[in-house]
């Protein structure tokens, strides 16, 4: 009786043991190349500032000043990042900051002290965001047009409230937040607020259903609708969030300047949009990072500080910012074409 002959093994299907890749390769694979690049640019700027003006730039007071000034625009940028990720745009953030700051510093408002100023700034910001959201989400207006109209209206109302005059804050508890005695371990309170807003924004965008819905709406609104997402309500919430960030930024600006002016927040919308783009947020929506946007803000304000310390003209500074924006957009296009 013949024994059955086993079929020959197919060497092509045999499993070949493979060595496990080193851990450092996994870390590099997960690393955000864009974030690392931004950190590299920021580090290079710090080196430039330290070489050109070592005593002034590396001084603790100067670094605190850079972070404090960046905090106001940074909070606005967090809200702007959410809006752009959803495929929208908000040109009214600077005007909303101005309106919230002057409304919160009127004589009548200051009679209610710290709480009254903070509450008014936030309510005005959220109220403007509500108007934007309703017009865009339920009025089917193009975000560019709706927020442009809000920009003009908010600026006009801010001018009407102040009559072109600066409103001085007289509430000691608000002014004390801007003093060095209020610093905690050398960190200004405004910077701590910025850090908290950034952390919350990162968690919401990356770890919550709200963040996933925001990305889905920006990537493909129709697909998001078919998946059961209420696209209109989501867009309303996003402009409310942007308005909330503007209200918080207005209060920080009041603390920083000790006043309310109709010129506050000038060009904040451009700074916030530019910082978001540099950070990797696509203008077409569907992708963006809070970390990248914050690094974009820090890069801009570091450049501004270096130019100021070296007595360079502001027009050169604007040219440098424009070149950075163009370079960031070109990198985005190249990245998109290769994926």
């Amino acid at each position: 009786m013949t024994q059955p002959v086993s079929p020959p093994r197919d060497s092509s299907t045999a499993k070949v043991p493979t060595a496990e890749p080193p851990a450092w390769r996994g870390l590099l694979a997960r690393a955000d190349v864009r974030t690392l690049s931004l950190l590299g640019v920021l580090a290079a700027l710090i080196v430039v500032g330290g070489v050109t003006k070592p005593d002034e730039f590396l001084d603790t007071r100067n670094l605190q000043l850079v972070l404090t000034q960046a905090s106001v625009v940074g909070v606005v940028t967090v809200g702007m990042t959410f809006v752009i990720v959803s495929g929208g745009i908000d040109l009214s953030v600077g005007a909303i900051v101005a309106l919230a700051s002057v409304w919160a510093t009127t004589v009548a408002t200051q009679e209610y002290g710290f709480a009254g100023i903070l509450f008014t700034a936030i309510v005005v910001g959220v109220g403007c965001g509500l108007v934007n959201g309703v017009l865009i989400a339920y009025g089917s207006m193009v975000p560019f047009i709706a927020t442009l109209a809000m920009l003009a209206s908010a600026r006009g109302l801010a001018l009407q409230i102040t009559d072109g005059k600066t409103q001085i804050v007289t509430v000691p508890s608000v002014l004390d937040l801007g003093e060095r005695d209020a610093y905690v371990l050398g960190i200004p309170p405004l910077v701590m607020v910025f850090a908290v807003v950034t952390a919350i924004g990162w968690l919401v965008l990356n770890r919550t259903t709200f963040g996933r819905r925001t990305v889905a709406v920006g990537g493909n609104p129709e697909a998001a609708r078919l998946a059961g997402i209420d696209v209109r309500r989501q867009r309303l919430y996003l402009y409310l969030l942007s308005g909330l960030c503007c209200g918080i930024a207005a209060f920080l600006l009041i603390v920083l300047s000790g006043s309310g002016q109709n010129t506050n927040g000038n060009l904040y919308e451009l700074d916030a949009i530019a910082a978001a783009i540099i950070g990797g947020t696509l203008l077409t929506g569907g992708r963006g990072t809070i970390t990248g946007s914050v690094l974009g803000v820090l890069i801009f304000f570091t450049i501004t500080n270096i130019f100021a310390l070296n007595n360079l003209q502001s027009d050169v500074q604007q040219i440098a910012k424009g070149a950075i924006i163009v370079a960031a957009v070109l990198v985005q296009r190249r990245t998109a074409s290769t994926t």
Side-chain angles (χ1 to χ4, degrees), residues 19 73 76 80 149 185 250 311 331:
V73 177
V76 174
M80 180 69 78
L185 300 177
N311 296 319
V331 169

Side-chain angles (χ1 to χ4, degrees), residues 61-119:
R61 290 177 179 267
N62 182 64
L63 296 178
Q64 290 172 337
L65 176 62
V66 173
L67 291 175
T68 301
Q69 293 176 338
S71 297
V72 181
V73 177
V75 171
V76 174
T77 303
V78 171
M80 180 69 78
T81 301
F82 275 89
V83 171
I84 297 178
V85 168
S86 71
I89 198 73
D90 192 349
L91 301 179
S92 63
V93 290
I96 294 175
V97 169
L99 179 60
S101 68
V102 299
W103 207 324
T105 54
T106 59
V107 175
T109 303
Q110 293 194 50
E111 291 179 355
Y112 294 93
F114 183 99
I117 294 176
L118 176 60
F119 177 78

Side-chain angles (χ1 to χ4, degrees), residues 21 43 45 49 81 91 104 116 139 150 162 169 182 193 276 301 306 324 326:
L45 289 174
T81 301
L91 301 179
M150 175 58 72
T162 61
V169 177
V193 172
F301 277 86
I306 293 174
I324 293 174
V326 171

Side-chain angles (χ1 to χ4, degrees), residues 148-202:
L148 185 62
M150 175 58 72
L151 183 155
S153 301
R155 283 289 179 193
L157 185 55
L159 179 60
Q160 187 178 42
I161 291 174
T162 61
D163 195 23
K165 301 176 183 178
T166 300
Q167 298 177 163
I168 304 299
V169 177
T170 58
V171 180
S173 56
V174 174
L175 298 175
D176 290 344
L177 287 178
E179 300 296 331
R180 295 189 61 83
D181 294 338
Y183 290 11
V184 179
L185 300 177
I187 303 175
L190 274 66
V191 178
M192 290 189 287
V193 172
F194 176 35
V196 171
V197 171
T198 299
I200 294 175
W202 186 91

